[in-house]
Amino acid sequence: MGKDLAKSVFAPEDRIRYRRKVHRCLDVLDGLLDADVFDTGTGMTGLEIEINLVDADAEPVMRNAELLADLGDSRFQPELGRFNIEFNAPPRKIAPDGFGAFEKDISEALRTAGERAGKADSRLALIGMLPTLTPEHLVLANLSDNERFRALNDEIVAARGEHFPVDIRGVERLRSASGTIVPEAACTSCQFHLQVPPEEFARYWNASQAVAGAQVALGANSPFLHGRRLWAETRIALFEQATDTRPDEFKAQGVRPRVWFGERWITSVFDLFEENVRFFPPLLPLLSEEDPVAVRAGGGIPRLHELCLHNGTVYRWNRPVYDVMDGRPHLRVENRVLPSGPTVVDLLANAAFYFGVVRRLAESERPIWSRLEFATAAANFRSGARHGLDATMCWPGLGEVGVTELVQETLLPLAYEGLDRFGVHPAERDRLLGIIEGRCRTGRNGSTWQTAAVRAAEDRGRNRGTALREMTLRYLDLQHLNEPVHTWPCQPVAAVRRAPPDPA
């Protein structure tokens, strides 16, 4: 979630100066987009993987600072909760064998981290939401010892002005409330980065939004929270609610949420940055010494610190990223819709599907967003999160269609073509996209495996708490083998009962 802050108490004057500087940064970005200064390469990618720490009973372990100090590896960073860490895989091109290189790098890094964690009787868990978490774990005392996290908590709590209510209606229902943002730490994700040229950014972002529903349905891995079976990907609903700074009156007025799918297709990356500045007040008004106007006037490339910091506090499911590398700026789409896990190879299959289908959709002569209403893309996203592989979606030319049929008949062929355009080796392409096809064929992803395993344990007489613990321990053992989740042994998956509709 970013670097530590030098201060966490902000005066009103800080906010005024920060807001003015964000607007200057936005003006400079507008000028940069009109100039021929951006890196125009395509195909450079990156991955961020969030990880839970658990003990021998699959309970969360509040030792991320100790593990990170022992590792001494800058690729690993703290996350919001003391039981969370994040691994940042070094960026690389995915052609021709970048996926294999990613798999090797990630597996070796996790193996080392797992060995260090084991010395302290801990294990690493790649999962969207840790099933053994309880409300007692998600308290302020378990916020990571990091100035940014403390400041972010204080600012969001102050902006809300009251407790954050959580009401998630799924197969079962969960109602709770918190006076902090620590429940967000239950949400552990895997984020994909794709560098694209400025003139193509809108096409890639629009394509990412269009396919988000299918993505989350395929990769769902978060069916349980606080002992309740909720959505296939409950992480989506919890993240939206646990950091919502709007009281009911602001919602009624149409104020946008900070965790946001968006409301329209775009024509330029500038649309997103401008919306972020126009709709969202600053949360962390930390000023840098850089004068972006002066840097640009001198022929340099500014880092636009304030604009980037503000952008990082607007939690779009597909986020624009501006960055500077070796003195040259570039743009990335940061795809944030997917959970962590179940295995490294499953994560890379998710990545292959995303990178491939998005490239093919972005380069289509007749763009999907010219035929798909934005509101329909948003509805597809929520359907995928709620129902996973049982979701029904609307797609141009098909009407209402089951997501597995949509993927197998329409999106997977596009993903194959997209990876070919990236120059991915056919063997890697076939191996990873074959995993996606396997999930559709078997009807099994992380979410369905978890729910089936818990149901089987309950059928043997276990109570819910015991069933969740036994399932999580078995999940961790299977995760260690790095075999795709659709091949994991499990009781037959029964039909999933639909969740009731969202309340009006």
Side-chain angles (χ1 to χ4, degrees), residues 205-206 209-210 212-213 260-266 368-384 392-396:
W205 187 85
N206 289 343
Q209 294 285 92
W260 199 29
F261 188 80
E263 61 190 19
R264 64 185 177 112
W265 304 118
I266 65 169
I368 187 67
W369 53 95
S370 70
R371 298 173 285 140
L372 179 69
E373 293 289 337
F374 192 91
T376 301
N380 286 346
F381 178 64
R382 294 193 73 78
S383 179
T392 298
M393 300 188 176
C394 291
W395 198 258

Side-chain angles (χ1 to χ4, degrees), residues 124 150 201 203 244 316 323 350 370 381 464 502:
L124 307 184
R150 287 194 294 271
F201 186 94
R203 299 179 69 87
D244 194 344
R316 294 178 182 270
D323 205 353
N350 293 339
S370 70
F381 178 64
R464 177 61 62 85
D502 286 325

